[in-house]
Amino acid sequence: MSDPITRSQIERLVASGDEQQLELLLQHPIEFGTAGLRARMEAGYSRLNQLTVISASQGLSAYVEHNVPDAHERGVVVGHDHRHNSTVFAQLTVRAFLDRGFRVYFYPQMGLTPQVPFAVKRLKAACGVMITASHNPKDDNGYKVYWENGAQIKPPVDEGIAASITEHRKPLNWDIAGISGHERVVDVTADMMDAYFDAASRQLLQDRELNSSTQLRYVYTAMHGVGAPFAARMLRAFGLPPFIGVPEQLKPDPDFPTVPFPNPEEKGALDLAKDLADAQGISLVVANDPDADRFAAAEKQADGSWLMFTGDQLGAIFAACVLEMARSSGIPDAKLAMVNSTVSSRMLESMAQKEGFHYTDTLTGFKWMANELAQLQTRGYFVGLGYEEAIGYMIHDHVLDKDGVTALAVFVQLAARLHADGRRVGDYLESLYAKYGFYISANSYFICPDPAKMDRIFSRIRYGDSTDNSKRTEYSRLHKGEVLRYPRTIGGFPVSYIRDLTIGFEMNNVDQQTQSLSLGKNEYWPKFPVSPSSHMITFETRNGARLTMRTSGTEPKLKYYLEVCSREGDREAAARDLDVMAQAVAKELVRSAENHI
């Protein structure tokens, strides 16, 4: 048995003699990477389809069986969103685990991503799989894997799973008939969702009376995703009034007809929500992405303009909320833990320094943050917040991943309290800037579909070239036979810190070192894991700026994350420096015009 649709796609290509397309689809199998698989849905080993899902599930089930104690009895949690093929992909996943002897805790209906990590942790399952591509375009889908602690997988587990998939690539069973009635399949939807809403409200609800009496009105969009019924129920659990939904975007639609990219961060994605708010005299808009693991918000200010909160601004707002709730619950500041990704704002670090809670940053992605928080929990810390600038927020430890629905309720609860005092969320953010310093960021990317060109760009940043007359370091690594020639200034500002996670280098006070140094084998090695398979370099400059440049793991993009801080609150100076630094990224480092990107 096979999938007739993808089979016919390959047959047509064979009949037409399209060797180039056949090679693209068949020669290089899809790689098991960022917490699993994500790709365009079509025929071929390099794409996501029934064949590659079966192979992934066979490999994953074999790996879990050999590496997790009592795996069969503990079982696996499987869920899916509303995208094309998500249901059948989930069913094929269930089939592969059943054939391996596992118990399967199944969400047979479309649901939100946080329900899987919640159930893995709650049920002490061996692992979890969520079929979703989050906010990717409509033709994509994904296979997201959670380990036994409820967090996304990270090395070396992902490498072990990838090797197991290679060993179990041949599909053994395409039959999904009878899954729902199988004796080892348990529909956990009702029990787990009751527990999910109860856990969030028990930990995060502050004042039910105030919530239920608020006159706050707000518009919500689910971005054609699954979020609306879950958001509505969570708001009820907090005693908050119901949202006013954007009708065109409220129901699940895998074609995402009103937005080219169903990502609340994208320019124009919230236009329909803002238009509805304007028409009804409403000042607040909130949103989830299609699988409801991310959260976004915008607020109309006193001058009538809309403030679209950045991911970092929301991160600071949530951090302040969590700190307040922890203190009201009697949790000592020193036992409260918060983390964010290394490309997110340093404002959270500034808050920790001033308030005394535990802070650390991690590599990009919730697989790093959630696992860090899980480790901190074993050391007696209370898990407060994990966030990334890409509007992902984990606000309680029942879900060790992004949870946009819980974030939504906490945000609306704050807005209701502020509304009672005649204040906006924007006013609340201003109070945080006054207390912890002003942070302004400019995150963007360059499209570079040529991997060789991408390598040359980063090589020039790292080693310089004959056409470069700028001031650079001269750090010899004799054991590597190389000289590191990083720029000593960016935009005219002295570089004070460098971290290169591709080759393994980290140095503070660069501008206070001699220009030429001879480095020993383990000198200046970074604390974060080093990965030669991707590029990632961070610079800090003496004007309070931090710049991270990296390649994307899923798209042909050179991404950069730039932030400038003014602890004195000089916004004009910070904005000027940000503009100078952003131009320097393009002209000095990437040379975008010369490289035609």
Side-chain angles (χ1 to χ4, degrees), residues 304-435:
S305 64
W306 281 97
L307 168 63
M308 181 71 191
F309 294 103
T310 68
D312 282 319
Q313 289 173 333
L314 289 172
I317 289 167
F318 284 129
C321 288
V322 167
L323 178 62
E324 180 183 325
M325 286 187 280
R327 285 174 171 171
S328 66
S329 299
I331 297 168
D333 292 346
K335 283 298 182 181
L336 175 65
M338 301 196 208
V339 306
N340 64 1
S341 67
T342 191
V343 299
S344 299
S345 176
R346 290 169 297 159
M347 188 170 178
L348 185 60
E349 181 180 17
S350 177
M351 296 173 73
Q353 290 170 349
K354 192 175 186 69
E355 304 294 350
F357 60 82
H358 179 86
Y359 164 80
T360 189
D361 62 345
T362 72
L363 287 175
T364 308
F366 262 84
K367 67 179 179 182
W368 300 106
M369 283 182 283
N371 279 288
E372 177 68 23
L373 285 169
Q375 283 294 316
L376 288 170
Q377 194 172 37
T378 65
R379 291 161 48 193
Y381 285 96
F382 177 83
V383 173
L385 174 71
Y387 95 85
E388 62 183 0
E389 45 71 41
I391 60 172
Y393 308 97
M394 170 188 154
I395 307 182
H396 66 116
D397 65 342
H398 298 285
V399 177
L400 288 177
D401 199 10
K402 302 181 291 291
D403 183 351
V405 171
T406 299
L408 165 72
V410 172
F411 184 86
V412 174
Q413 177 175 248
L414 171 66
R417 192 184 80 200
L418 294 170
H419 186 265
D421 295 334
R423 301 170 65 204
R424 294 178 174 85
V425 181
D427 301 327
Y428 186 75
L429 177 64
E430 288 297 323
S431 71
L432 299 181
Y433 284 147
K435 190 172 185 180

Side-chain angles (χ1 to χ4, degrees), residues 162-176:
S164 183
I165 292 172
T166 300
E167 295 172 6
H168 298 85
R169 200 172 293 283
K170 183 179 178 180
L172 300 178
N173 194 347
W174 300 71
D175 186 10
I176 57 175

Side-chain angles (χ1 to χ4, degrees), residues 119-252:
V120 171
K121 188 171 183 181
R122 186 87 172 191
L123 297 168
K124 296 181 173 59
C127 77
V129 176
M130 178 68 188
I131 305 297
T132 180
S134 192
H135 54 251
N136 274 39
K138 65 178 182 178
D139 293 325
D140 291 357
N141 214 327
Y143 186 99
K144 192 172 187 179
V145 180
Y146 297 88
W147 203 231
E148 60 176 323
N149 65 349
Q152 294 179 41
I153 55 171
K154 66 173 187 175
V157 171
D158 55 353
E159 298 158 2
I161 295 171
S164 183
I165 292 172
T166 300
E167 295 172 6
H168 298 85
R169 200 172 293 283
K170 183 179 178 180
L172 300 178
N173 194 347
W174 300 71
D175 186 10
I176 57 175
I179 282 176
S180 60
H182 195 284
E183 64 180 1
R184 281 187 278 111
V185 173
V186 182
D187 182 345
V188 295
T189 306
D191 288 345
M192 286 301 99
M193 297 318 296
D194 286 349
Y196 167 74
F197 293 111
D198 181 66
S201 60
R202 279 178 180 271
Q203 186 165 319
L204 300 170
L205 172 62
Q206 289 183 286
D207 188 334
R208 183 176 293 277
E209 184 177 349
L210 187 152
N211 288 354
S212 61
S213 63
T214 183
Q215 299 301 305
L216 177 73
R217 300 171 68 224
Y218 55 101
V219 168
Y220 169 77
T221 174
M223 284 293 187
H224 301 292
V226 302
F230 303 104
R233 184 172 173 184
M234 186 66 84
L235 292 163
R236 288 197 303 272
F238 276 65
L240 290 160
F243 56 71
I244 297 169
V246 178
E248 301 93 331
Q249 298 176 332
L250 211 56
K251 294 181 179 179

Side-chain angles (χ1 to χ4, degrees), residues 3 5-7 9-10 12-13 21 24-26 30 39-53 84-85 89 139-141:
D3 178 4
I5 296 176
T6 54
R7 185 181 183 88
Q9 291 173 357
I10 296 297
R12 286 196 300 270
L13 291 172
Q21 186 65 13
L24 179 66
L25 295 176
L26 298 173
I30 184 173
R40 183 182 176 90
M41 291 179 285
E42 58 181 334
Y45 301 124
S46 66
R47 300 294 190 259
L48 208 68
N49 50 58
Q50 292 187 27
L51 171 63
T52 53
V53 166
H84 293 296
N85 297 311
F89 288 171
D139 293 325
D140 291 357
N141 214 327

